[in-house]
């Protein structure tokens, strides 16, 4: 088997033109019967690496997967592409299982998904021995490692694959990157000198943004309103806050639900299903949500609170945009969240506490950083990278520094005068001259700097004070209720006017305005409108077929359809993600929708007018009748046809010009200098040919000349 076959299968069964980085190498290694270990981020395209060998090699690939809830969807997806796949697990009746076992034994499947319990069960072994298995693929292979976060006891027994079936290669796939886990996988599966592939963990289609956590609800509502109908997840820290937030969003007319591990299994299942089927697009959830969900068109993820560590954060934002189409992520940051998390960690004191606190600190540094956020994330995962990514808030809006000496002096002087006895909020209230009771009780309204910082908002002060903490000018006494203290560094600022450079505060609204200046043209607005129509159509078809919408076409595929507006089968098949099978099943409906839409906006779709003519002509309408239908002159329509023909579109003009006539006209064109002037050629033949025939004759001549050239 070679890679050409693999590429053909990729096009035929998945509609994709090229492999993603590493996929081809991995498939080649599997073809060479090597054991392989693959580390790729979620959405990187791991499944393709075993699905292509499964389809192209004789026999069956057995996929061991711990997530029973995912198997059905995966198998449905494969079947929708015309691939012979089934699954075996405890959710099926024993009769169902027997039937599938028999078919598997007889080699009827390209792929069999199976739970670890099932493959380890005694009475399954003889079936496995008799079936034509060519590959074992262990999905979510990190479950084998007790270092990992998802340890499964049964996974540790999977070494029996190598022990009992030494001739069959084993491949292992995971999105968990660390080295210990990787070593565990190789050791425990007793793999033979496996080829290891570590893909980049970068997800360039995810935008990354961090905003101060003020007025979160308001910000979230605005964010959602800008993305009507797009599926997204909002992660909250507590069960209670998922419920509260969902209720608040519902009150604003937003279709949202909550999800957390305290709900009944029934409710949880229902919630997941509604999300997967796009009936409820927004879920407010604890981090329990998302593990068992294979939904590729999540368009955004919001973190209402700061996550505990970068691993968790990256995994959670990774649930967005798995189809490769652009997706947005937004993290709200406030220092109060850090303190809450620290408290939680300290209360559950264990050996791990120090490590966890350190990880939380890295998370905080990330949120406060003024350099490219993607760079920080990838470096964290030991993937070195430099420069700006262009798709995070810092890169889109590089920080502007200014002389913040006066601001720093005001803050330091206030801290000094209230004798280092107040936390950050109290300090800000003093600086802004607030009339709060506690200020008067403490007599802080009498100090010299009371009200000296009125010119700045609360949010601005927070932003600048956090920077001063990071610069080491101010210290936070964690052991004394987080009161602020003056550091040795600050003396020269207070007394010698040492300059302090601060990053200018930018309200997220100001930032948004800046970004909005990149004008949206009508064309992209129309593309969005068409995309929306296609999405509606997909939802209807999904309901009719009892499938999740993304299994019909992914968002990325719909996006391409909206951009390229295919109008015939050939053009449709050129769209990445459209297979022959899907074209047959759903093609007509989508082509129809696109055509209707384009027809309503002929001036905005470049070349659409030609395509409309082509479509009608190929449906059998004459030049005259197309002209009538389109309210255009027949001359215009025949010019369209001439151009289409010249460019190789499959329009058959034989009814309008004979081969003989073409010969006669070509004979004259041969001796004529370019450019050909229609009127002159027409005159030369002295009424012998109509203008249309001359046009078609020239088109034919040009086409031949092009081919010859
Ligand atoms: P993973 O298992 O690594 O999370 P998937 O295998 O689910 O990722 O793939 C994520 C998405 O990328 C799917 O929609 C899949 O169809 C798509 N995909 C995979 N390989 C390719 C490719 N070579 N070209 C285009 N899309 C691809
Ligand atoms: Zn960046």
């Amino acid at each position: 088997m070679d890679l050409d076959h693999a590429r053909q299968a990729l096009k035929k069964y998945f509609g994709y033109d090229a492999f993603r980085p590493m996929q081809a190498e991995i498939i080649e290694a599997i073809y060479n019967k090597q054991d392989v270990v693959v580390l790729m981020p979620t959405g990187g395209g791991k499944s393709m690496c075993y699905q292509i060998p499964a389809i192209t090699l004789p026999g069956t690939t057995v996929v061991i997967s711990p997530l029973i809830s995912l198997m059905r969807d995966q198998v449905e997806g494969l079947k929708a592409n015309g691939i012979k796949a089934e699954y075996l697990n405890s959710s099926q009746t024993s009769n169902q299982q027997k039937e599938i076992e028999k078919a598997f034994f007889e080699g009827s499947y390209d792929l069999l998904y199976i739970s670890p319990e099932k493959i380890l069960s005694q009475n399954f072994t003889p079936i496995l021995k008799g079936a034509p298995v060519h590959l074992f693929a262990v999905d979510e292979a990190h479950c084998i490692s007790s270092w990992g976060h998802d340890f499964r006891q049964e996974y540790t027994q999977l070494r029996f694959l190598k022990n009992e079936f030494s001739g069959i290669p084993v491949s292992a796939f995971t999105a968990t990157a660390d080295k210990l886990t990787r070593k565990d996988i190789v050791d425990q599966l007793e793999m033979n000198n496996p080829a290891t592939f570590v893909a980049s963990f970068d997800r360039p289609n995810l935008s990354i943004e961090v905003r101060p956590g003020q007025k979160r609800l308001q910000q979230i509502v605005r964010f959602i309103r800008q993305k009507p109908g797009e599926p997204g997840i909002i992660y909250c820290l507590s069960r209670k806050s998922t419920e509260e937030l969902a209720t608040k969003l519902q009150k604003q007319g937003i279709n949202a639900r909550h999800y957390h591990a305290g709900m009944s299994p029934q409710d949880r299942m229902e919630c997941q299903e509604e999300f997967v089927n796009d009936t409820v697009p927004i879920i407010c959830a604890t981090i329990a949500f998302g593990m068992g969900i294979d939904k590729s068109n999540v368009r955004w993820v919001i973190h209402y609170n700061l996550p505990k560590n970068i691993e968790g954060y990256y995994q959670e934002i990774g649930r967005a945009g798995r189809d490769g189409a652009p997706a947005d992520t937004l993290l709200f940051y406030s220092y109060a969240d850090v303190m809450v998390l620290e408290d939680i960690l300290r209360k559950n004191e264990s050996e791990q506490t120090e490590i966890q606190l350190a990880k939380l600190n890295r998370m905080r540094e990330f949120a406060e950083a003024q350099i490219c956020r993607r760079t920080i994330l990838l470096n964290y995962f030991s993937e070195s990278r430099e420069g700006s990514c262009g798709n995070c808030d810092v890169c889109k809006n590089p920080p502007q520094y200014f002389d913040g000496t006066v601001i720093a002096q005001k803050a330091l002087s206030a801290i000094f005068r209230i004798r280092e006895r107040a936390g950050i909020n109290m300090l800000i209230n003093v600086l802004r001259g607030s009339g709060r009771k506690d200020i008067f009780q403490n007599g802080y309204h009498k100090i010299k700097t009371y009200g000296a910082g009125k010119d700045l908002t609360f949010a601005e002060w927070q932003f600048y004070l956090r920077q001063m903490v990071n610069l080491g000018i101010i210290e936070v006494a964690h052991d004394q209720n987080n009161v602020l203290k003056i550091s040795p560094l600050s003396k020269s600022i207070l007394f010698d006017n040492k300059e302090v450079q601060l990053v200018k505060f930018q309200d997220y609204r100001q930032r948004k305005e800046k970004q909005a200046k990149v004008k949206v043209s009508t064309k992209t607005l129309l593309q969005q409108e068409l995309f929306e129509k296609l999405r509606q159509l997909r939802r209807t078809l999904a309901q009719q077929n009892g499938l999740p919408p993304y299994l019909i076409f992914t968002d990325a595929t719909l996006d391409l359809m909206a951009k390229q507006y295919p109008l015939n089968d050939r053009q449709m098949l050129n769209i990445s993600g459209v297979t022959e099978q899907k074209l047959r099943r759903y093609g007509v409906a989508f082509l129809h929708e696109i055509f209707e839409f384009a027809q309503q906006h002929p001036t905005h779709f470049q070349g659409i007018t030609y395509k409309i003519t082509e479509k009608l002509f190929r449906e059998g309408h004459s030049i005259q009748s197309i002209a009538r239908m389109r309210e255009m002159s027949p001359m215009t329509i025949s010019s369209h046809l001439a151009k289409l023909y010249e460019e190789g579109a499959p329009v058959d003009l034989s009814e309008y010009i004979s081969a003989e006539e073409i010969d006669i006209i070509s004979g004259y064109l041969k001796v004529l200098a370019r450019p050909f002037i229609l009127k002159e050629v027409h005159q030369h033949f002295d009424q012998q040919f109509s203008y249309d025939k001359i046009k078609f004759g020239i088109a034919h001549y040009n086409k031949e000349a092009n081919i010859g050239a």
Side-chain angles (χ1 to χ4, degrees):
M1 203 47 61
D2 58 37
L3 280 177
D4 278 345
H5 283 95
R7 257 180 223 111
Q8 282 160 17
L10 182 71
K11 183 71 194 162
K12 177 163 180 218
Y13 291 100
F14 299 95
Y16 300 136
D17 293 317
F19 284 114
R20 292 215 181 125
M22 296 221 163
Q23 284 179 332
E25 290 93 322
I26 294 163
I27 292 167
E28 197 159 37
I30 294 178
Y31 281 161
N32 291 333
K33 289 187 159 288
Q34 253 189 300
D35 290 346
V36 299
V37 181
V38 176
L39 282 77
M40 233 185 227
T42 311
K46 286 185 285 298
S47 359
M48 199 65 81
C49 301
Y50 58 78
Q51 285 166 353
I52 292 288
I55 300 163
T56 49
L57 293 171
T60 308
T61 291
V62 172
V63 186
I64 296 121
S65 163
L67 298 166
I68 291 186
S69 57
L70 284 190
M71 284 187 200
R72 203 197 62 162
D73 282 356
Q74 272 163 349
V75 168
E76 292 283 346
L78 291 167
K79 283 183 175 169
N81 284 329
I83 296 162
K84 291 177 286 174
E86 257 314 334
Y87 65 88
L88 264 181
N89 63 44
S90 55
S91 74
Q92 293 155 318
T93 65
S94 64
N95 272 342
Q96 279 173 328
Q97 294 188 31
K98 285 222 175 73
E99 228 167 87
I100 295 164
E101 285 167 8
K102 181 164 174 282
F104 166 59
F105 190 81
E106 289 164 356
S108 305
Y109 304 129
D110 287 329
L111 282 129
L112 181 75
Y113 285 77
I114 191 163
S115 61
E117 295 84 352
K118 179 77 191 175
I119 202 169
L120 290 163
S121 69
Q122 297 258 318
N123 40 18
F124 191 69
T125 311
I127 300 167
L128 199 53
K129 288 220 157 121
V133 179
H134 58 231
L135 172 69
F136 291 115
V138 182
D139 209 1
E140 313 287 345
H142 58 275
C143 293
I144 213 165
S145 168
S146 51
W147 292 102
H149 48 83
D150 255 351
F151 177 62
R152 308 272 173 134
Q153 194 62 47
E154 313 82 50
Y155 259 61
T156 58
Q157 295 170 48
L158 288 177
R159 65 180 71 233
F160 103 105
L161 295 175
K162 270 287 160 207
N163 295 341
E164 302 268 331
F165 304 87
S166 57
I168 302 175
V170 172
S171 48
F173 299 85
T174 176
T176 303
D178 74 273
K179 286 192 186 124
L180 276 174
T181 310
R182 199 193 315 169
K183 189 171 171 304
D184 259 1
I185 293 172
V186 173
D187 290 350
Q188 299 220 33
L189 287 175
E190 298 189 2
M191 292 172 118
N192 292 326
N193 194 17
T196 304
F197 298 90
V198 184
S200 165
F201 270 64
D202 192 8
R203 301 278 312 278
N205 63 320
L206 297 185
S207 78
I208 304 172
E209 185 180 358
V210 182
R211 287 188 200 168
Q214 271 110 29
K215 302 200 177 129
R216 295 177 212 210
L217 180 65
Q218 221 176 323
Q219 295 198 55
I220 290 174
V221 170
R222 201 172 296 144
F223 180 94
I224 292 173
R225 295 243 156 93
Q226 281 166 355
K227 313 171 177 296
E230 292 186 5
I233 307 173
I234 306 173
Y235 284 110
C236 306
L237 193 57
S238 69
R239 293 178 181 183
K240 199 164 132 235
S241 56
T242 66
E243 295 179 11
E244 285 169 358
L245 182 59
T247 312
K248 283 180 193 156
L249 292 177
Q250 285 157 10
K251 281 201 183 123
Q252 304 259 4
I254 291 168
N255 187 4
R257 264 192 86 158
H258 70 266
Y259 180 102
H260 55 69
M263 288 157 54
S264 73
Q266 177 73 28
D267 282 353
R268 272 187 283 164
M269 181 120 88
E270 194 185 290
C271 181
Q272 287 196 357
E273 235 149 61
E274 284 179 345
F275 184 58
V276 168
N277 295 329
D278 285 354
T279 15
V280 176
I282 298 169
I283 305 292
C284 307
T286 56
I287 52 171
F289 185 72
M291 295 277 202
I293 298 181
D294 184 23
K295 181 180 172 68
S296 71
N297 67 329
V298 176
R299 289 271 69 85
W300 53 266
V301 166
I302 292 178
H303 280 90
Y304 194 91
N305 302 97
L306 191 76
K308 288 195 194 80
N309 52 53
I310 290 184
E311 286 92 338
Y313 168 68
Y314 203 61
Q315 192 170 40
E316 284 139 29
I317 64 171
R319 297 196 174 121
R322 287 180 57 177
D323 52 16
D328 293 318
T329 77
L330 171 59
L331 164 68
F332 286 110
Y333 169 68
S334 81
Y335 193 67
D337 280 354
V338 180
M339 294 194 285
V340 170
L341 289 172
E342 273 183 6
D343 272 354
I344 296 176
L345 290 178
R346 290 224 163 82
K347 275 197 193 108
N348 305 318
E349 186 80 49
S350 77
E351 288 162 24
Q352 294 282 306
T353 304
E354 281 312 307
I355 297 175
Q356 286 169 342
L357 284 171
K359 287 194 169 188
L360 175 61
N361 200 37
R362 291 291 292 270
M363 188 67 223
R364 178 184 66 71
E365 283 168 2
F366 166 81
E368 290 179 353
Q370 301 291 346
I371 59 163
C372 173
R373 302 203 194 270
R374 199 176 307 272
T375 301
I376 302 179
L377 291 173
L378 292 175
N379 285 331
Y380 184 83
F381 293 115
S382 318
E383 187 175 324
S384 59
R385 160 198 171 106
E386 281 175 49
S388 63
C389 73
N391 200 17
C392 75
D393 58 331
V394 179
C395 288
K396 282 179 189 158
N397 232 308
Q400 291 168 15
Y401 289 89
F402 71 106
D403 180 351
T405 314
V406 175
I407 291 177
Q409 284 172 340
K410 282 180 187 170
L412 291 169
S413 145
I415 295 173
F416 183 71
R417 284 170 207 275
I418 57 185
R419 287 188 226 114
E420 305 186 321
R421 279 196 298 216
I424 193 163
N425 287 349
M426 173 71 94
L427 179 72
I428 295 173
N429 283 329
V430 170
L431 282 163
R432 298 190 71 243
S434 143
R436 288 173 60 109
K437 224 165 141 196
D438 47 2
I439 290 186
F440 288 88
Q441 278 163 356
N442 286 309
Y444 294 161
H445 62 296
K446 289 190 207 136
I447 67 167
K448 208 175 133 201
T449 28
Y450 176 72
K454 267 203 192 82
D455 53 328
L456 299 181
T457 63
F458 197 91
E460 283 171 291
W461 270 117
Q462 271 191 322
F463 185 74
Y464 293 133
L465 290 171
R466 287 302 317 153
Q467 280 188 60
M468 286 183 238
V469 172
N470 286 342
L471 290 170
I473 302 169
I474 299 176
E475 282 169 3
V476 181
H478 292 292
D479 50 348
Q480 296 169 41
N481 286 325
N482 299 306
V483 300
L484 300 184
K485 304 211 162 207
I486 291 175
S487 84
L489 263 183
S490 58
K491 290 223 172 63
S492 53
I493 297 166
L494 267 177
F495 305 114
D496 306 332
N497 261 338
K498 183 173 174 262
E499 195 183 307
V500 181
Q501 287 280 316
L502 293 176
V503 173
K504 198 163 161 38
F505 177 83
Q506 273 188 325
D507 192 277
Y508 68 93
R509 259 161 301 180
Q510 290 168 319
R511 296 198 232 159
K512 274 275 128 63
E513 271 161 30
K514 241 169 115 182
Q515 283 168 27
K517 280 193 193 132
V518 187
K519 261 226 182 99
V520 187
S521 66
T522 331
K523 176 139 183 244
T524 55
L525 279 180
L526 280 175
Q527 274 170 12
Q528 279 168 21
E529 214 178 307
L530 176 54
F531 177 83
E532 202 42 52
K533 286 214 160 7
L534 298 177
R535 204 151 65 118
Q536 292 295 342
L537 172 63
R538 177 178 68 177
R539 178 146 46 181
T540 314
L541 290 173
Q543 268 157 11
Q544 285 165 3
N545 290 281
L547 283 174
Y550 67 88
L551 284 188
I552 298 204
F553 288 121
T554 64
D555 281 10
T557 298
L558 293 193
D559 207 42
L560 285 173
M561 284 189 199
K563 283 202 182 103
Q564 296 177 9
Y565 47 92
L567 293 167
N568 57 42
D569 288 4
R570 182 175 47 89
Q571 291 165 349
M572 194 57 134
L573 273 176
N574 275 336
I575 302 272
S576 175
V578 179
T579 58
E580 302 237 353
Q581 168 129 348
K582 286 196 175 170
L583 180 68
R584 246 176 286 133
R585 263 193 211 166
Y586 314 115
V588 176
F590 281 89
L591 283 169
H592 181 76
E593 193 75 37
I594 294 166
F595 186 66
E596 291 286 301
F597 186 83
Q599 225 170 0
Q600 287 161 18
H601 310 275
T603 47
H604 290 291
F605 286 83
Q606 210 204 3
I608 185 70
T609 188
Y610 292 98
K611 291 186 177 186
I612 296 172
T613 297
E614 177 186 341
K615 181 168 196 290
L616 293 171
F617 188 76
R618 280 165 35 111
E619 282 170 6
H621 298 281
S622 69
I623 294 180
Q624 290 296 332
S625 85
I626 298 174
R628 261 195 314 277
M629 288 158 79
R630 301 200 58 193
E631 295 177 356
M632 291 170 151
S633 78
M635 288 286 280
T636 309
I637 303 299
S638 59
S639 299
H640 287 174
L641 290 173
K643 184 169 152 69
L644 286 161
Y645 182 82
E646 186 175 325
E647 288 175 353
V651 288
D652 178 10
L653 296 175
S654 58
E655 204 181 304
Y656 293 90
I657 186 166
S658 68
E660 262 179 341
E661 289 167 329
I662 286 176
D663 277 350
I664 298 170
I665 296 171
S666 300
Y668 175 59
L669 293 177
K670 233 179 265 171
V671 297
L672 203 64
R674 283 176 193 271
F676 304 138
I677 296 166
L678 191 61
K679 202 168 160 200
E680 280 177 19
V681 183
H682 185 248
Q683 272 169 1
H684 169 83
F685 287 108
D686 193 22
Q687 311 287 322
Q688 190 186 347
F689 299 123
S690 68
Y691 265 106
D692 281 357
K693 285 189 200 273
I694 303 286
K695 265 186 230 167
F696 296 154
I698 293 177
H700 184 87
Y701 185 81
N702 283 342
K703 184 179 171 185
E704 297 289 298
N706 279 344
I707 293 169

